[in-house]
Amino acid sequence: MFETFSYITLQQYWWIIVTLLGALMVFLFFVQGGQTFITIIGKNQIEKSIIANSVGRKWEFTFTTLVTFGGAFFASFPLFYSTSFGGAYWVWMAILFSFIIQAVSYEYRSKPNNFLGQKTFDIFLLINGLLGPLLLGTAVGTFFTGSAFSVNKANIAQISGNLTISSWEHPAHGLEAVLNLQNVLLGLAIMFLARVLGLLYFMNNIDHKAILERSKKQLIYNAIPFLIFFLSFLFWTLFSDGFAVNPDTKMIVMEPFKYLNNFLAMPILLILFLLGVVAVLWGIGISIFKTTSKGIWFAGLGTVLTVWSLLMSVGFNNTAYYPSTFDLQSSLTIFNSSSSQYTLTVMSYVSLFVPFVLGYIWYAWKSINNKKVDSDEMKTESHLY
């Protein structure tokens, strides 16, 4: 089946899959967001344990999706992987470190006689909850603003001398992304979105009146900055110049209102984006103004649609998805940075197993969530996070 697909179709197919994985990962950041409230909403040991176990039972989903996202990106668009992960390594190492301390914290947080103490691991979870979404969002912001790197594919043919294909041209190696306000706005938007999703998840998964009342109060405090940061990033991005590819010469040029033009040129993406935004707002609204536990599903689906459409827009319609501010012509597109047609074809057959994996995840999710977390469970459960 996939042998009949053209090379361009395979490249587009894998951009759709990779960006979908990225969108799912942003939704699963509700775990990171929920972690930041362990000591804010939890006022005693039982309440802290309820919150930690509510999101702790899902942390593997986020970690696995992050690894799958990275692996899929590496296999389908290896030049991006080598350029970004090999050049901007400080920001990626910081992200990885924050996820490592998360895994360690859930493993040892409630272990008896751990020498660091539970409070230390709660601080680790707070660090991961804040830095993970913030840094990842800031890094993704460079898809719209660009990074300082150069690419010389001619070095592939070299047998000696300079064999480096991609070079990072800034001494901060990725950390310079935080100096761009547009990047930081997206990072802050994703961080507060993760906190909003975490609160909505508590309202769906926890059976504890005091925690639910505090979650509803915190939802207002976190939804407002989320909307401010997201809308600021969105308007800045839509009404600024973007990195376009001349379809005839393949040269990278700056185009006014590029990302707005992309949505107008691809109405399906525009519809998905608008549906996603409305769903997120609806999920937040019904959770604030009504007594419901279903807000997480509206906001979660809306998050996936919004992020997915945004990420797809930077790869389609003759757009450089990883632009270079150092050398415009080094910018990466889905056509000049992908694997070979044979590799993408073989991988496409592997992708047919994705629905079965998603089905298993849904089954595991339902099994874990068959009962809401409450105080009684914290007193009788043998395995606590």
Side-chain angles (χ1 to χ4, degrees):
M1 178 179 66
F2 289 107
E3 290 90 344
T4 62
F5 286 12
S6 68
Y7 192 22
I8 292 176
T9 301
L10 288 170
Q11 290 166 325
Q12 294 172 332
Y13 172 76
W14 272 100
W15 184 249
I16 292 172
I17 291 181
V18 167
T19 52
L20 177 58
L21 287 172
L24 290 171
M25 183 174 62
V26 173
F27 161 62
L28 290 171
F29 274 162
F30 75 82
V31 175
Q32 274 62 36
Q35 292 168 186
T36 63
F37 293 105
I38 291 177
T39 58
I40 296 176
I41 293 179
K43 300 302 182 182
N44 55 51
Q45 189 58 46
I46 290 293
E47 292 178 355
K48 291 178 182 178
S49 293
I50 289 174
I51 295 170
N53 280 270
S54 175
V55 291
R57 296 171 184 179
K58 298 293 191 301
W59 78 267
E60 292 98 335
F61 290 151
T62 310
F63 197 91
T64 302
T65 305
L66 175 64
V67 173
T68 305
F69 171 71
F73 226 142
F74 168 72
S76 53
F77 301 99
L79 189 54
F80 164 78
Y81 196 88
S82 64
T83 301
S84 182
F85 288 73
Y89 51 77
W90 283 123
V91 67
W92 291 114
M93 287 295 289
I95 293 171
L96 179 61
F97 175 76
S98 77
F99 278 89
I100 290 174
I101 63 174
Q102 179 202 36
V104 172
S105 297
Y106 278 125
E107 179 66 26
Y108 293 103
R109 179 182 180 275
S110 294
K111 287 289 191 296
N113 303 319
N114 71 74
F115 72 97
L116 291 178
Q118 191 175 96
K119 185 176 181 180
T120 300
F121 290 116
D122 286 345
I123 293 174
F124 287 170
L125 291 175
L126 175 64
I127 292 172
N128 170 252
L130 295 176
L131 283 187
L134 175 63
L135 290 178
L136 196 63
T138 302
V140 171
T142 61
F143 282 25
F144 301 90
T145 63
S147 300
F149 65 88
S150 60
V151 175
N152 186 357
K153 288 189 175 181
N155 287 340
I156 296 177
Q158 299 290 334
I159 59 175
S160 62
N162 184 14
L163 305 179
T164 303
I165 300 173
S166 304
S167 299
W168 205 260
E169 306 294 348
H170 195 287
H173 287 282
L175 293 179
E176 72 275 9
V178 301
L179 301 178
N180 186 305
L181 180 58
Q182 191 175 353
N183 296 338
V184 176
L185 285 174
L186 181 59
L188 288 170
I190 291 181
M191 185 189 77
F192 277 101
L193 173 62
R195 287 167 66 88
V196 166
L197 293 174
L199 292 167
L200 293 175
Y201 184 71
F202 292 158
M203 299 170 74
N204 176 265
N205 181 247
I206 292 176
D207 182 12
H208 190 286
K209 184 177 180 180
I211 290 178
L212 295 181
E213 289 176 350
R214 296 176 198 138
S215 296
K216 191 170 185 178
K217 185 177 181 180
Q218 287 290 331
L219 182 58
I220 300 173
Y221 297 154
N222 287 270
I224 293 174
F226 158 64
L227 292 173
I228 292 173
F229 290 129
F230 175 70
L231 292 176
S232 298
F233 168 80
L234 182 63
F235 283 110
W236 191 335
T237 301
L238 294 180
F239 295 101
S240 61
D241 294 348
F243 300 82
V245 183
N246 186 303
D248 299 320
T249 65
K250 306 303 178 185
M251 298 291 287
I252 310 298
V253 296
M254 300 304 297
E255 178 182 318
F257 312 119
K258 173 58 178 172
Y259 304 106
L260 176 61
N261 294 337
N262 282 358
F263 277 117
L264 296 177
M266 298 179 286
I268 293 179
L269 289 190
L270 179 60
I271 292 172
L272 289 177
F273 177 78
L274 293 176
L275 287 175
V277 171
V278 170
V280 171
L281 294 176
W282 181 259
I284 294 173
I286 62 174
S287 299
I288 292 176
F289 299 108
K290 295 183 179 181
T291 302
T292 179
S293 62
K294 301 184 183 300
I296 181 63
W297 301 120
F298 290 101
L301 177 61
T303 296
V304 172
L305 293 179
T306 302
V307 176
W308 191 23
S309 55
L310 268 176
L311 292 178
M312 281 196 289
S313 73
V314 300
F316 292 150
N317 195 40
N318 298 312
T319 309
Y321 73 86
Y322 200 53
S324 172
T325 55
F326 179 82
D327 173 25
L328 271 184
Q329 305 316 313
S330 291
S331 300
L332 302 185
T333 70
I334 63 174
F335 305 117
N336 68 13
S337 64
S338 71
S339 295
S340 67
Q341 183 170 1
Y342 175 78
T343 300
L344 293 181
T345 301
V346 173
M347 288 170 51
S348 297
Y349 280 104
V350 176
S351 72
L352 295 178
F353 290 98
V354 170
F356 298 99
V357 175
L358 292 177
Y360 172 76
I361 291 174
W362 178 254
Y363 172 78
W365 183 294
K366 295 290 288 184
S367 299
I368 293 173
N369 277 29
N370 59 2
K371 180 181 179 296
K372 292 188 176 183
V373 183
D374 56 21
S375 301
D376 292 338
E377 184 178 352
M378 296 301 99
K379 299 173 183 177
T380 59
E381 176 63 42
S382 59
H383 178 70
L384 294 177
Y385 288 106

